[in-house]
Amino acid sequence: MSVTGGSVDEAEDVTAVIGVQNAYAVAIDTHDWPALRACFADDASIGFGRPARTGGPDEFLEWAPAFHEALGPTLHQNSSHRVRIDGDAATATAYLHAVLVDADGAGATSIFGRYDDELVRAGAGWLIRRRRFTATWRTRTAPLPASPEGAR
């Protein structure tokens, strides 16, 4: 985590911004679509994927639930957060490692990349106003073979 300035209020804002980024990850993994929508400002712009899909929160929620519900378990992990607060605006970057298990459990896709976010203060919290995801690496994996009886 990076904090510019160093005031207590700013540290609380940085923590709240990271909290929104993490709330997004948990909402995706738990299929909590209202909680996912609550991470975004009404006028947000969201860009994902190849080919790039860009639109507002409502367009994002037209395709994201079907995409994720067609999978098995998913795990979105954010790390290496960098946050800069400027009054009622913030910019934030977080690295992503997402594991998307196939519905049949026969394999998984691991995606590595970066979220670049612009956020706006909304009441006592923060909302994402602009999100861009840039994938840097994608790989396929197979499940582990069954362990022999008694093996750890």
Side-chain angles (χ1 to χ4, degrees):
M1 166 174 60
S2 172
V3 178
T4 59
S7 72
V8 172
D9 289 343
E10 190 168 7
E12 289 173 358
D13 284 336
V14 167
T15 300
V17 166
I18 292 170
V20 172
Q21 291 177 314
N22 291 339
Y24 169 91
V26 171
I28 285 277
D29 291 336
T30 59
H31 300 183
D32 186 343
W33 309 122
L36 182 70
R37 176 60 181 89
C39 294
F40 293 99
D42 289 340
D43 62 348
S45 172
I46 306 163
F48 279 91
R50 290 185 194 154
R53 294 182 184 190
T54 303
D58 296 329
E59 290 93 349
F60 178 54
L61 285 166
E62 286 176 9
W63 66 265
F67 174 82
H68 287 88
E69 288 171 356
L71 298 169
T74 63
L75 178 64
H76 289 69
Q77 302 170 81
N78 295 327
S79 65
S80 302
H81 296 271
R82 182 173 175 90
V83 177
R84 294 199 174 159
I85 305 296
D86 184 12
D88 289 339
T91 57
T93 299
Y95 294 160
L96 169 73
H97 174 207
V99 178
L100 312 176
V101 177
D102 298 340
D104 63 4
T109 301
S110 285
I111 301 169
F112 298 87
R114 185 183 73 243
Y115 291 122
D116 292 301
D117 295 335
E118 295 174 12
L119 298 96
V120 61
R121 188 184 309 273
W126 290 87
L127 296 174
I128 300 168
R129 177 169 278 160
R130 181 178 183 270
R131 168 162 274 194
R132 293 291 173 265
F133 175 70
T134 304
T136 55
W137 183 258
R138 183 179 315 237
T139 187
R140 290 282 301 158
T141 59
L144 294 172
S147 298
E149 190 72 29
R152 293 181 191 235

